[in-house]
Amino acid sequence: SDTLADPEYASYARHLQERGFEIAFHGARMESSERAEIIEAFEVYKQNLGRYPVAYAAHGYNRDNLYWGIDRFRFRLWRWLYATFGDGREYPGEGHRVESPFYWADLAERHLRYVRSFTYDDLNLWNLTSAIPYRTAGTHGVHAFFPSSDADNVEEFIELLSPARQAQLEREGGLAIVSTHFGKGFLRDGCVHPGVIEVLTRLSQRPGWFPPVSALLDYVADAQGGVALLKGYGLFRLEGLWFWHGIRR
């Protein structure tokens, strides 16, 4: 896939940033990357975009992921359930393990403010937890986590942002952060999928606020008096809901 090592792609990324889009960090590359490669990736990012990234979302199967696989979970029940029934292809992620060649949590602590954690199928994330963004005990290197709604492909994206769900989000005064892959069906024969045009046009006509994700999280964190420490039942519930939403999907 294209990266910032491609001058044409780097120019396109700069153009998006100049238009107000946030360019976040999705790891050094699609494959697992060791520490030296991750350090280089941060510098390439800064050289091309003028600063270091602020937000990060992991790839599914990289060994350099931060707190991934079974290490997403703080509670023994969910760790056991994931080990028993989870995706066997996922590495636990070694980005936070000092002894690993894939370690980079100190770089994350230095450069990043937000790390994506769990994904769900509910458009309003405040239905899952009021602690957005949040931090947890024992996760060094991460200032704050945030969840997101997940739409793996264009069909799921159109369903997630259906007019009915948009109306419900507006009624609830909710908060939505959506993860998706624009490479999975959004463009067909050189044209954007008509269903995507429809749901985004309807969304743009609603009285919402549509900032980049880090600006949104900064605003919400300030409103709640800082990044909340999530623990106890609140964290137990958030982790458990990940399984329930996965089954429901």
Side-chain angles (χ1 to χ4, degrees):
S1 63
D2 291 323
T3 73
L4 293 178
D6 178 349
E8 186 175 358
Y9 183 81
S11 176
Y12 174 62
R14 286 192 297 271
H15 174 64
L16 289 176
Q17 182 173 263
E18 289 165 0
R19 291 178 60 194
F21 291 94
E22 178 176 2
I23 311 299
F25 191 58
H26 200 24
R29 55 182 181 172
M30 287 186 69
E31 290 115 11
S32 299
S33 302
E34 296 191 0
R35 180 177 177 83
E37 296 165 322
I38 297 170
I39 292 173
E40 181 182 2
F42 270 102
E43 296 308 316
V44 169
Y45 182 105
K46 184 179 181 182
Q47 290 167 11
N48 281 280
L49 297 170
R51 56 173 177 78
Y52 292 111
V54 174
Y56 160 73
H59 275 289
Y61 306 112
N62 285 19
R63 294 182 67 180
D64 52 286
N65 290 343
L66 292 171
Y67 300 103
W68 203 248
I70 197 171
D71 285 345
R72 291 184 187 185
F73 305 97
R74 303 289 95 196
F75 290 89
R76 289 182 181 179
L77 173 61
W78 305 133
R79 292 173 67 89
W80 172 83
L81 194 62
Y82 184 85
T84 305
F85 300 106
D87 188 344
R89 296 177 297 166
E90 275 195 1
Y91 290 104
E94 301 175 27
H96 56 285
R97 299 182 179 181
V98 177
E99 72 280 4
S100 170
F102 302 100
Y103 173 73
W104 64 284
D106 58 331
L107 301 176
E109 184 174 28
R110 189 181 311 158
H111 298 309
L112 302 174
R113 290 203 300 276
Y114 302 111
V115 172
R116 190 187 66 176
S117 57
F118 298 102
T119 59
Y120 302 90
D121 69 349
D122 194 321
L123 187 59
N124 183 3
L125 297 173
W126 274 332
N127 288 335
L128 310 172
T129 178
S130 60
I132 301 174
Y134 68 92
R135 58 188 176 90
T136 58
T139 48
H140 77 278
V142 176
H143 293 290
F145 290 105
F146 69 95
S148 76
S149 306
D150 183 59
D152 182 66
N153 52 48
V154 69
E155 289 82 10
E156 292 186 8
F157 184 85
I158 293 169
E159 180 181 356
L160 180 67
L161 289 171
S162 68
R165 288 194 171 192
Q166 289 187 29
Q168 181 180 354
L169 179 70
E170 184 177 341
R171 287 195 306 271
E172 295 173 344
L175 180 151
I177 300 171
V178 177
S179 306
T180 193
H181 299 93
F182 288 136
K184 293 187 176 182
F186 281 75
L187 197 67
R188 296 181 178 179
D189 300 322
C191 299
V192 177
H193 190 295
V196 174
I197 294 175
E198 180 181 358
V199 297
L200 289 183
T201 300
R202 286 176 175 266
L203 187 65
S204 72
Q205 293 168 349
R206 295 186 179 275
W209 182 43
F210 307 101
V213 67
S214 292
L216 172 65
L217 294 170
D218 286 344
Y219 178 85
V220 176
D222 288 343
Q224 68 183 12
V227 176
L229 174 62
L230 192 58
K231 58 182 180 178
Y233 175 73
L235 182 57
F236 182 85
R237 178 178 182 272
L238 187 67
E239 293 183 354
L241 283 172
W242 181 83
F243 289 97
W244 168 240
H245 283 233
I247 294 169
R248 191 165 67 179
R249 287 182 65 188

